[in-house]
Amino acid sequence: MPKKIMLSGVKPTGAPHIGNYFGAMKQFMDLQKEHEGYIFIADYHALNFIKNRDELKKNILGVLLDYLAIGLDPEKITIFKQSDISEHPELSCIFDTLMSVPYLKRAHAYKDAVAKGKEDEFSMGDFNYPMLMAADILLYSPDVVPIGQDQKQHLEFARDTAIKFNSTFGETFKLPEPMILEDVAVVPGTDGKKMSKSYGNHIPLFAEYDEIKKCVMSIITDSSGGVPKNVYAIHKLVRPESELKKIYEEKAGKYKELKEMLLEDLEKFIAPLRKRRKELEKDIPGALAILQAGGKRAKKVAEAKMEEVREKIGVKVY
Ligand code: ADP
Ligand code: TRP
């Protein structure tokens, strides 16, 4: 039985935190055991958020090292960057001719911008984001697309676009199935709200000991019944709840001790990842060679699909 194909994209928008790890990155690592597939760095998507050459470059390399450090195996998963495959924007352009403006106006991101009175700042790149994402996916005919809850609508756009293309030009694209990681609860940050870079309540995935310490000590402890729930919610990511329940009962009300335990458990989890990332940093050309080789493999698949598309739409005359 051939292995199923998975595909997902990651925006290179900065250093990951443990919420990203448990909410998304870890799932890719688990899936690679039984799937072949693609993880790509969505750098053209990131251009909607970052307009600084040095920052984008740094982030692209950063994401590559992050994924290699947590154990992405380039033998099983092709890792590449979107901008290496010109078929992504090419196909996206064709999709633009099929889907209407009112249809794209249904996008949550667009509606949010309008609701906040920021429509004027919404670029064509933001508006066409779902079409580029549809191209990212449909070029590779994946069986599953693992995504977070927040990406659900984007996958529906990709499916609708495939249906529209197939009904207009004949069966070409496989309908992608989302794999929404519902069982992964939202990881809370140090203030109990969703952990997010933009809230400043995050614990970086590759943090140094002192940095982890600072984050842990800043966790807000408005507890009831002696259990500091924000401490517990993070702790259960790195130690089984069967062990935690007993510990938190025994140390009820002793916040400092519980935080110290959490700090040590986080350090045990983060230290090997941090070490591996530092080793990878010593061989940047080696990491970039993996990305480039991945691009060559992905290009062959994307090129073949694009040839089929050109044939179907009628631009292939020789
Ligand atoms: P941030 O909110 O920090 O900017 P992103 O929006 O870049 O994070 O998220 C990248 C991926 O990580 C997405 O798939 C998202 O669903 C997941 N993710 C982000 N924050 C969390 C969290 N607190 N808990 C679970 N998953 C998360
Ligand atoms: N939009 C996704 C995010 O913000 C990233 C992404 C781009 C993606 N293209 C994709 C995810 C294709 C899955 C499949 O996280």
Side-chain angles (χ1 to χ4, degrees), residues 225-227 232 243-253 258:
V227 174
Y232 187 91
E243 291 176 27
L244 279 187
K245 289 223 162 81
K246 201 159 158 269
I247 297 171
Y248 277 70
E249 262 166 39
E250 280 171 14
K251 297 195 184 292
L258 289 168

Side-chain angles (χ1 to χ4, degrees), residues 40-298:
F40 70 92
I41 303 174
D43 50 357
Y44 280 153
H45 275 123
L47 199 56
N48 288 307
F49 307 90
I50 302 175
K51 290 181 177 69
N52 177 308
R53 173 179 181 270
D54 294 340
E55 190 185 347
L56 190 54
K57 268 193 160 179
K58 185 173 137 254
N59 287 354
I60 291 170
L61 181 62
V63 174
L64 174 65
L65 296 177
D66 296 342
Y67 273 84
L68 294 174
I70 63 164
L72 185 104
D73 180 355
E75 299 282 316
K76 294 188 184 125
I77 301 292
T78 298
I79 179 161
F80 68 97
K81 92 183 150 65
Q82 189 182 32
S83 60
D84 279 350
I85 320 288
S86 51
E87 282 77 3
H88 291 226
E90 186 179 354
L91 183 57
S92 164
C93 254
I94 294 168
F95 289 161
D96 284 350
T97 69
L98 284 172
M99 309 312 275
S100 73
V101 169
Y103 172 78
L104 280 168
K105 280 188 173 174
R106 288 189 214 156
H108 299 319
Y110 177 74
K111 286 190 171 169
D112 276 0
V114 173
K116 289 183 186 143
K118 293 194 167 176
E119 198 180 351
D120 289 351
E121 292 165 34
F122 205 74
S123 72
M124 283 306 294
D126 291 323
F127 197 69
N128 286 341
Y129 190 110
M131 295 295 95
L132 181 56
M133 183 155 162
D136 296 339
I137 298 170
L138 298 176
L139 278 171
Y140 301 92
S141 320
D143 296 294
V144 287
V145 183
I147 44 168
Q149 254 319 327
D150 54 342
Q151 296 297 312
K152 200 171 162 192
Q153 192 193 30
H154 283 150
L155 212 93
E156 281 157 13
F157 280 138
R159 282 177 69 91
D160 287 350
T161 308
I163 292 169
K164 185 78 191 253
F165 188 101
N166 289 349
S167 66
T168 310
F169 297 111
E171 203 58 31
T172 309
F173 293 114
K174 181 160 155 183
L175 297 192
E177 292 294 338
M179 179 183 261
I180 302 200
L181 309 162
E182 315 229 6
D183 52 334
V184 184
V186 171
V187 174
T190 51
D191 56 359
K193 278 191 263 166
K194 178 191 179 237
M195 187 177 288
S196 172
K197 279 191 289 287
S198 41
Y199 302 155
N201 63 355
H202 61 291
I203 304 177
L205 180 59
F206 298 100
E208 295 291 340
Y209 184 83
D210 284 348
E211 208 179 349
I212 309 173
K213 187 170 176 184
K214 218 172 122 209
C215 295
V216 169
M217 294 311 158
S218 75
I219 298 175
I220 295 170
T221 47
D222 53 344
S223 58
S224 49
V227 174
K229 60 181 187 334
N230 296 340
V231 181
Y232 187 91
I234 297 175
H235 214 156
K236 73 177 194 214
L237 301 168
V238 287
R239 195 189 267 250
E241 283 202 79
S242 52
E243 291 176 27
L244 279 187
K245 289 223 162 81
K246 201 159 158 269
I247 297 171
Y248 277 70
E249 262 166 39
E250 280 171 14
K251 297 195 184 292
K254 297 182 176 154
Y255 302 158
K256 189 155 181 289
E257 277 182 49
L258 289 168
K259 281 186 171 181
E260 274 158 9
M261 278 191 84
L262 170 61
L263 169 61
E264 294 317 314
D265 285 343
L266 276 171
E267 169 66 7
K268 257 186 240 153
F269 161 69
I270 290 178
L273 301 180
R274 203 169 58 210
K275 185 160 170 266
R276 173 117 179 83
R277 200 180 187 286
K278 284 196 175 135
E279 278 161 20
L280 288 160
E281 275 168 26
K282 290 183 198 148
D283 182 18
I284 304 288
L288 289 175
I290 292 174
L291 189 65
Q292 209 171 9
K296 286 192 179 134
R297 264 187 278 163

